[in-house]
Amino acid sequence: MTGVQTCALPISWERFYKENPLSIAEEDNSNLEYIENFLIIAYNNKTGKEKSRSVDIDAVAKYIENKFDIRTIYGLKEETIEVFDGSIWTIKGKGIIKAEIERLLKTYCKNLIVAEVLEKIKRRTEISREETEKIPNHKRAMRNGVLDFRDIENIKLLPHDKKYNFRTRWDIDYNPKAKCNKYEKIINKALDEDDILKFQEWNALHIARKYIKKKFAIYHGPKDTTKTVMMNHLTIILNNNVSGLTLQDIARGKPFDLLVLKDKDANICDDLSSSDMKAIGGVKKSVGDGYIDGEMKFGDKIRFSNTAIQTYACNKIPNPGEDIDDEAYYARIILFSFENIINEEDQNPDLIGEITTEEEKSGWLNWAIEGYKRLIKNNKFTRDLTPEETKYFMIKNGNSLAEFSSEVLSQADGNKISKDDMYKIYCKWCSEHKPKLSPDSKEKIGRNLTRFVPFAQSSKSGSERYWLNVTFRDTWDTSLKNMSNISKRDIKSNNDNENNIYGFSESVPSVPKVPKESKFSDKEIKKAGYSDEEIKEFHQEGILK
């Protein structure tokens, strides 16, 4: 019992206690982890009787240090204890140590004893945070080893080792022969053919522990187009080591929010809000090799390099607010359009399980490695858009006024369009859009139109207010002329338009209710731009006979 400290005893008493150890559990006997090894026992020299016993703090600490690989990172306000579990360093060190003390000491385990042992271990295992951040960018911990892809033509699987400082592990076995046939079949249906290789390269970007390309992705399109399936699949692939900040959260750049990105493999946010961002500086800073300042609540401030590859999904892309012309922002974005709607009767509720089997996950890794090789070789994404092209598609997708400006308006120096006429055509365009859009208010158009058509000028002459240097394209110019001859108020005498978001301004003159012998024929009304359903409604309401 080398761990037991005793007072001087007659040889007979020493032999007695060695031959008759204290009673302990049978499972502890098998491991030779006797409680006496961690106790200091004092005996009466005359009688041989036990005087006292106490826990040997040093012996317990040494035993635990020998059994586990432990390191303690001290901060200004708190510390982190990490334990190597055979493949990665886990932050559960404090809990593991406390549980081990309880197992060793059993009834001798008291809170004060635990605290003393813990403090001694922390002081003995101190390491700087900088040392623990030395993690190789071209290696990745898998379930069956460490994937080394520094030489992309000679990828190797190495044994796990604590020297790599990994804190995350993918729940995948590297098997170079595995396939992901079901997954590939889904993406071939979900995406345009021109985007398949780029999507493969985007998934591959997660393999390296750094931003080898300063990009983030936005999946956009209507619901039921497998956007969420793709994001859930990636989350499972990354073993849930992801955060979920919105693009707006990152744009604001609050240190408490940004800290959740630290050591994450991805930031994945489904159902991104379409609200405009107030600033984009935080987004640009988070995409690349720069450092981010994070802060623990009631804790330390930490500067770190972001490794979380960012992917967002939305139906309507948010605009970047006042920084709409920032080319560097658009250069960082990859757009993936999901347009293939899966009908409810064709949806597979077990789909995510079918594409995350062991074979499929290992196959996905090989598929991603293939994309990684191509990305490194070409040093760019396949069919990547220019910043100008990305800006055009984003603005068009994310803003009804932007899309309207692109499709309907063109430059015509000296030409005038009254603001009422502009709003009429804009509302009509929104009502005919597929899907139908809700128009912005006339005041919002007045503030924002020049952002999308910079050649237009807001002007007035007396009581007349108009847009200068702009005109409608031919189809919409004809539509306006027809609407000038017949407005909806010419057909409906009541103020029904007050409840209609597509109603025109009060400046359009109203006329008495159409008599039974209407001067307007169905053909004339249809020519003015009204649908067959609207004409049918007019007849049902008795407005037309």
Side-chain angles (χ1 to χ4, degrees), residues 214-231:
K214 296 180 180 181
K215 295 282 188 179
F216 67 90
I218 297 179
Y219 300 172
H220 65 96
K223 65 177 183 178
D224 297 331
T225 53
T226 68
K227 297 191 302 295
T228 300
V229 171
M230 292 295 100
M231 302 186 89

Side-chain angles (χ1 to χ4, degrees), residues 90-281:
T90 172
I91 61 173
K92 299 177 181 178
K94 186 178 292 186
I96 291 173
I97 292 172
K98 287 182 176 181
E100 184 67 10
I101 297 171
E102 176 74 30
R103 190 182 69 82
L104 291 175
L105 300 182
K106 297 181 173 57
T107 57
Y108 294 95
C109 185
K110 308 297 181 184
N111 288 340
L112 184 60
I113 299 296
V114 172
E116 288 188 46
V117 173
L118 195 60
E119 288 301 316
K120 186 173 285 289
I121 291 174
K122 283 158 53 175
R123 291 192 295 269
R124 287 175 173 176
T125 58
E126 186 273 336
I127 187 173
S128 70
R129 187 179 300 277
E130 289 73 23
E131 284 295 313
T132 68
E133 299 294 340
K134 294 178 180 179
I135 305 172
N137 293 325
H138 298 91
K139 290 181 174 65
R140 178 68 78 171
M142 300 294 161
R143 199 162 50 196
N144 60 338
V146 174
L147 193 66
D148 183 351
F149 49 92
R150 176 174 290 279
D151 181 357
I152 60 174
E153 300 302 330
N154 184 28
I155 294 176
K156 297 177 288 187
L157 189 67
L158 307 176
H160 290 296
D161 197 311
K162 63 182 180 181
K163 68 181 180 182
Y164 297 130
N165 290 322
F166 290 130
R167 291 186 175 97
T168 62
R169 174 185 58 242
W170 289 4
D171 191 29
I172 301 175
D173 285 327
Y174 174 57
N175 174 7
K177 296 182 180 180
K179 302 289 184 182
C180 57
N181 295 327
K182 290 184 178 179
Y183 177 80
E184 289 193 63
K185 184 178 180 180
I186 292 170
I187 61 173
N188 287 336
K189 289 182 178 180
L191 292 169
D192 185 84
E193 184 178 356
D194 291 342
D195 282 342
I196 299 296
L197 293 181
K198 183 164 61 175
F199 189 73
Q200 183 183 24
E201 292 157 2
W202 175 251
N203 279 260
L205 200 64
H206 296 78
I207 293 179
R209 287 198 70 264
K210 63 179 294 186
Y211 272 87
I212 59 175
K213 291 296 175 185
K214 296 180 180 181
K215 295 282 188 179
F216 67 90
I218 297 179
Y219 300 172
H220 65 96
K223 65 177 183 178
D224 297 331
T225 53
T226 68
K227 297 191 302 295
T228 300
V229 171
M230 292 295 100
M231 302 186 89
N232 289 344
H233 173 269
L234 185 57
T235 299
I236 294 172
I237 286 290
L238 302 180
N239 205 13
N240 293 297
N241 185 42
V242 302
S243 53
L245 295 180
T246 68
L247 199 55
Q248 289 87 348
D249 288 336
I250 293 179
R252 285 190 289 268
K254 293 183 178 180
F256 294 127
D257 292 336
L258 297 181
L259 187 62
V260 302
L261 297 173
K262 187 178 185 304
D263 296 327
K264 296 296 190 295
D265 292 326
N267 184 76
I268 298 176
C269 178
D270 198 1
D271 197 21
L272 182 65
S273 169
S274 62
S275 62
D276 289 0
M277 294 183 293
K278 302 302 180 184
I280 60 175

Side-chain angles (χ1 to χ4, degrees), residues 295-471:
E295 184 175 352
M296 300 178 183
K297 287 193 175 181
F298 312 110
D300 297 335
K301 293 182 178 180
I302 299 175
R303 170 163 283 197
F304 63 96
S305 181
N306 183 33
T307 58
I309 307 299
Q310 301 171 44
T311 302
Y312 306 94
C314 59
N315 302 119
K316 183 179 177 182
I317 301 173
N319 281 320
E322 297 301 321
D323 296 317
I324 195 168
D325 292 320
D326 193 322
E327 185 174 302
Y329 170 74
Y330 295 107
R332 284 167 164 77
I333 299 172
I334 289 185
L335 298 175
F336 291 104
S337 179
F338 288 76
E339 301 293 341
N340 184 26
I341 299 176
I342 308 300
N343 295 325
E344 187 174 357
E345 59 271 19
D346 297 325
Q347 294 176 13
N348 179 3
D350 300 321
L351 181 59
I352 193 67
E354 293 177 4
I355 60 176
T356 53
T357 63
E358 295 304 319
E359 172 73 13
E360 284 282 327
K361 288 192 297 184
S362 295
W364 175 91
L365 180 58
N366 296 327
W367 175 80
I369 289 173
E370 179 185 317
Y372 184 82
K373 290 180 178 180
R374 186 171 59 251
L375 181 61
I376 295 299
K377 181 179 179 180
N378 297 335
N379 199 27
K380 64 178 182 179
F381 285 94
T382 302
R383 295 182 179 274
D384 198 11
L385 300 178
T386 65
E388 293 78 12
E389 291 171 327
T390 300
K391 174 182 176 181
Y392 172 79
F393 283 114
M394 284 186 65
I395 293 176
K396 184 177 178 181
N397 175 276
N399 188 295
S400 63
L401 183 56
E403 189 173 353
F404 165 79
S405 301
S406 174
E407 291 186 5
V408 178
L409 304 180
S410 62
Q411 185 171 356
D413 294 342
N415 191 65
K416 299 178 181 180
I417 296 178
S418 74
K419 292 194 173 181
D420 274 339
D421 285 346
M422 180 70 79
Y423 195 65
K424 288 179 187 179
I425 292 298
Y426 169 65
C427 290
K428 181 172 176 58
W429 176 87
C430 286
S431 69
E432 295 181 357
H433 190 277
K434 302 299 182 183
K436 185 179 289 189
L437 300 174
S438 297
D440 292 331
S441 67
K442 189 182 293 185
E443 291 74 17
K444 191 170 183 179
I445 290 179
R447 291 194 304 268
N448 296 320
L449 184 63
T450 55
R451 293 173 62 191
F452 310 114
V453 279
F455 48 80
Q457 295 181 19
S458 178
S459 304
K460 66 178 180 178
S461 178
S463 60
E464 181 186 9
R465 298 178 181 273
Y466 56 87
W467 293 102
L468 184 63
N469 299 331
V470 64
T471 189

